[in-house]
Amino acid sequence: CLGPYNYAVNEVFTTVIPALVMGNPVVMKTPRYGVLANALLVPALQESFPKGVVSLLTGQGPTVVGPMMESGLVDVLALIGSARTASILLKQHPRPYRLRTLLGMGAKNAAIVLADADLDAAAREIVAGGLNFNGQRCTALKHVLVERKVADALVERLSDAISHLKVGMPWDPGVTVTPLPDPDKPKHLAELVEDALAKGSRVVNPGGGEWAGTLYRPALVYPVTEEAQLF
């Protein structure tokens, strides 16, 4: 069972618990940011199951998971992660035809806004769906697809809503946008935005795309063409 770091305990256990209920021994590969949170649950697992039923595995995924898959001893792979990662792991198994899989595949959720929508309500839902937990959820909204006749009006509402989000540290009152856990993520986001700008997009919200360290101010990018990496 491999889970992502965005919900380091919840997402791992959404695969672990069903596997245990159905009588399987489980190897939990803890996410890179979330090892300690899962380690806190080890005593409860020890008390609840016989030795060897639940094992915790830590380390870099390519280093520790690859050899496990290559051994052919894995019967079921549960992965909440990207399609790219799933493809790599499946190819490593010597008998993929008998490997059972439960795969998240990156979940690219979209908000679709039609011309008769309540744009104020749509803007609230899109901002919450896209930026809660810094947008680092499998179920976060990744794309906003809007009928052209209401696109400008919606973009204006979204820009205003994003501009009013408080940016800061998690322990500060009222903060919505906090530093990202991955030190490489802001640079990646900046590169996506720069590429979109070079292909006809613009950053609508004031200060959107500014970043320092791991703190990144959300960027509302519009319109985005199919040629852009962000698309």
Side-chain angles (χ1 to χ4, degrees), residues 104-193:
M105 307 298 278
K108 299 300 180 189
N109 301 327
I112 301 173
V113 183
L114 304 182
D116 61 350
D118 179 334
L119 296 185
D120 291 321
R124 285 195 302 272
E125 293 298 322
I126 291 166
V127 171
L131 296 176
N132 273 1
F133 297 97
N134 281 351
Q136 296 209 115
R137 300 178 299 144
C138 304
T139 53
L141 294 177
K142 314 294 198 305
H143 312 277
V144 182
L145 309 175
V146 195
E147 281 203 63
R148 292 186 187 279
K149 64 174 70 174
V150 296
D152 289 337
L154 178 66
V155 165
E156 184 177 341
R157 286 168 170 80
L158 289 173
S159 176
D160 181 65
I162 293 170
S163 296
H164 282 88
L165 296 178
K166 188 175 179 180
V167 178
M169 301 305 288
W171 50 81
D172 294 332
V175 166
T176 302
V177 179
T178 62
L180 299 165
D182 189 331
D184 296 324
K185 189 67 72 176
K187 182 175 182 290
H188 173 64
L189 294 174
E191 290 171 350
L192 290 175
V193 172

Side-chain angles (χ1 to χ4, degrees), residues 13-174:
F13 275 83
T14 56
T15 60
V16 169
I17 292 172
L20 292 171
V21 168
M22 289 185 280
N24 299 285
V26 171
V27 177
M28 293 170 51
K29 164 61 177 73
T30 54
R32 50 188 166 146
Y33 307 121
V35 175
L36 295 179
N38 281 285
L40 291 172
L41 294 167
V42 169
L45 294 171
Q46 285 179 316
E47 293 172 8
S48 302
F49 300 100
K51 183 178 180 180
V53 172
V54 184
S55 301
L56 258 69
L57 181 68
T58 64
Q60 293 289 335
T63 303
V64 297
V65 180
M68 288 179 60
M69 296 300 293
E70 291 168 359
S71 73
L73 297 174
V74 175
D75 295 314
V76 184
L77 170 67
L79 166 70
I80 300 176
S82 69
R84 177 179 171 274
T85 299
S87 177
I88 292 171
L89 294 177
L90 296 181
K91 291 175 182 175
Q92 290 175 331
H93 200 288
R95 291 176 290 280
Y97 50 83
R98 71 162 181 78
L99 176 69
R100 298 187 182 188
T101 57
L102 301 94
L103 307 174
M105 307 298 278
K108 299 300 180 189
N109 301 327
I112 301 173
V113 183
L114 304 182
D116 61 350
D118 179 334
L119 296 185
D120 291 321
R124 285 195 302 272
E125 293 298 322
I126 291 166
V127 171
L131 296 176
N132 273 1
F133 297 97
N134 281 351
Q136 296 209 115
R137 300 178 299 144
C138 304
T139 53
L141 294 177
K142 314 294 198 305
H143 312 277
V144 182
L145 309 175
V146 195
E147 281 203 63
R148 292 186 187 279
K149 64 174 70 174
V150 296
D152 289 337
L154 178 66
V155 165
E156 184 177 341
R157 286 168 170 80
L158 289 173
S159 176
D160 181 65
I162 293 170
S163 296
H164 282 88
L165 296 178
K166 188 175 179 180
V167 178
M169 301 305 288
W171 50 81
D172 294 332

